[in-house]
Amino acid sequence: MKDRMVKITSSELAMLWSQYLNDSGSICVLTYFLEKAEDPEIKSVIEFALQLSNKNIEKLTVTFKAENFAIPYGFKLEDDIDLTAPKLFSDSYVLHFIYQMAIIGLTNYSAAVAAAVRADIADYYMECLTETMQLHKVSKEVLLSKGLFVRSPNIPYVKAEFVNQQAFLFDVVGVKRPLIVAEVSNLYANIQRNILGVATLIGFSQVAKDKEVIQFLHRGIDIGKKHIKLFGSKLAECDLPVPASLSAEVTTSTSYTFSDKLLMFFTSGLISLSIGYYGTGIAQSPRVDLGVMYNRLSLEVQLYSEDGANIMINHKWLEQPPMASDRVELGLENKQ
């Protein structure tokens, strides 16, 4: 009870607010996935993921009320999905989707634990982290059991030695050194995320209604395919394989399934994640050409993100997060 007297910090509020939006959107998508799932094992994974999101929303609601904070509007089953719509994605796609979302959750919850100051907030995110570790484990096990898990390439020969020339960083007469394992890992993971993103946007574009949203989604598909090709070309230089596309896991349904607001929210989230992961690629890639590539692609994604935000603002779909007080505006109000 004593800890409740300590005010929530801006860092903690940012995490809680963002999580509420993400989980309310996830409830809509997972409820639809569960309604359409046919494979019993995959259905159990969806049920577990949905259970976690529902529990999070309940706990976040209690926290917001206790702190006298406004509860975000987020997304609602009655507003943002149609459970009677035909199946849009295969069960295999859904399993890949949940596995990737679990990976993202592990990253976000780890950061949340590190940033939390108040004991009850830290404990909550430690619980979220533990539960998401279990979701990651379960979804990976099902992917493995069904032969759907995509492993990163093996490196056949490893020896211990020191770097002794600048060619480790730069081209020498147009010849690049082989990729180090961190570079391979990031390229491969970014290909996998873009493959999932392309399949997601293909499905979204089929069921979107607003023409501007459809055009935006098609543009994202083109960007994703281009990035997959560029990352794949770097792996091909070292005769390393590229993961297979998931586009065939999208059905031909064009019926209204998700609201355009929900489609744009998830698309914007995927864009933001790309920017963060590309930043990690830059930090972990000593080879200069890779850093240049990631920087260029990050700029492209940032411009795409800005256009998406403008669409959401114009349609009044972008929910404003908590902001610091505008002292100038407060001063003007007092003088009126």
Side-chain angles (χ1 to χ4, degrees):
M1 292 296 294
K2 181 180 178 182
D3 204 47
R4 281 282 186 185
M5 302 300 293
V6 179
K7 289 185 177 181
I8 286 179
T9 66
S10 57
S11 298
E12 292 165 337
L13 181 54
M15 297 180 304
L16 295 168
W17 182 274
S18 176
Q19 188 190 358
Y20 188 98
L21 293 179
N22 289 331
D23 274 311
S24 67
S26 293
I27 288 171
C28 292
V29 172
L30 292 170
T31 300
Y32 170 77
F33 287 162
L34 183 60
E35 180 72 17
K36 304 303 171 185
E38 299 167 11
D39 186 298
E41 288 183 280
I42 296 176
K43 199 167 187 175
S44 68
V45 176
I46 301 171
E47 287 173 340
F48 182 38
L50 180 58
Q51 174 191 338
L52 295 183
S53 288
N54 277 315
K55 186 166 73 170
N56 287 340
I57 287 295
E58 291 174 6
K59 290 187 176 181
L60 291 168
T61 300
V62 169
T63 299
F64 284 130
K65 287 181 177 179
E67 300 297 327
N68 292 318
F69 289 144
I71 298 173
Y73 188 81
F75 299 92
K76 310 268 189 302
L77 293 175
E78 61 271 21
D79 296 338
D80 296 297
I81 63 167
D82 182 357
L83 293 178
T84 67
K87 190 168 185 172
L88 183 59
F89 298 104
S90 73
D91 288 359
S92 296
Y93 162 90
V94 172
L95 188 57
H96 281 289
F97 176 89
I98 292 175
Y99 175 71
Q100 286 294 335
M101 292 306 105
I103 292 174
I104 293 164
L106 291 175
T107 302
N108 291 342
Y109 290 143
S110 295
V113 170
V117 179
R118 228 171 70 171
D120 61 321
I121 303 297
D123 289 343
Y124 167 65
Y125 278 115
M126 288 175 69
E127 181 182 350
C128 288
L129 184 58
T130 300
E131 292 171 337
T132 305
M133 287 170 65
Q134 183 62 24
L135 178 62
H136 176 265
K137 179 176 182 290
V138 169
S139 58
K140 181 173 65 177
E141 286 175 348
V142 177
L143 282 167
L144 286 166
S145 70
K146 294 184 177 298
L148 297 172
F149 190 84
V150 182
R151 300 175 186 269
S152 59
N154 294 316
I155 303 299
Y157 177 66
V158 179
K159 62 180 179 178
E161 60 182 325
F162 291 93
V163 175
N164 57 21
Q165 55 184 340
Q166 295 299 315
F168 184 78
L169 304 176
F170 304 100
D171 294 358
V172 177
V173 196
V175 178
K176 302 181 182 70
R177 64 154 171 80
L179 298 168
I180 62 172
V181 287
E183 293 166 342
V184 172
S185 177
N186 283 308
L187 288 168
Y188 205 80
N190 282 321
I191 291 174
Q192 287 182 297
R193 283 186 281 265
N194 273 284
I195 284 173
L196 181 70
V198 167
T200 301
L201 297 194
I202 288 174
F204 284 1
S205 68
Q206 290 177 189
V207 300
K209 298 305 175 188
D210 185 273
K211 288 184 178 180
E212 190 177 21
V213 171
I214 295 171
Q215 291 173 351
F216 180 76
L217 294 171
H218 281 301
R219 182 179 160 201
I221 294 168
D222 291 339
I223 290 173
K225 287 180 176 178
K226 184 179 78 173
H227 290 199
I228 292 169
K229 186 176 180 180
L230 287 170
F231 296 147
S233 68
K234 298 298 182 182
L235 292 176
E237 292 173 3
C238 294
D239 298 314
L240 296 174
V242 176
S245 170
L246 288 173
S247 299
E249 304 301 323
V250 185
T251 73
T252 57
S253 174
T254 58
S255 300
Y256 172 82
T257 306
F258 306 115
S259 69
D260 285 357
K261 173 188 171 185
L262 183 59
L263 299 181
M264 287 299 299
F265 174 79
F266 268 97
T267 302
S268 296
L270 291 173
I271 296 168
S272 298
L273 289 168
S274 293
I275 296 171
Y277 284 119
Y278 289 2
T280 300
I282 295 170
Q284 296 182 354
S285 300
R287 219 174 77 176
V288 172
D289 65 303
L290 295 179
V292 171
M293 177 190 68
Y294 278 123
N295 272 313
R296 178 166 51 84
L297 299 185
S298 293
L299 178 59
E300 181 179 30
V301 174
Q302 288 173 42
L303 294 173
Y304 180 56
S305 175
E306 181 182 353
D307 291 340
N310 286 328
I311 291 174
M312 295 179 74
I313 290 170
N314 292 337
H315 287 276
K316 301 189 184 306
W317 293 335
L318 185 61
E319 195 163 350
Q320 181 173 291
M323 294 191 299
S325 300
D326 187 335
R327 301 298 178 179
V328 175
E329 184 66 26
L330 288 173
L332 292 174
E333 288 178 0
N334 289 335
K335 291 179 174 59
Q336 289 179 355

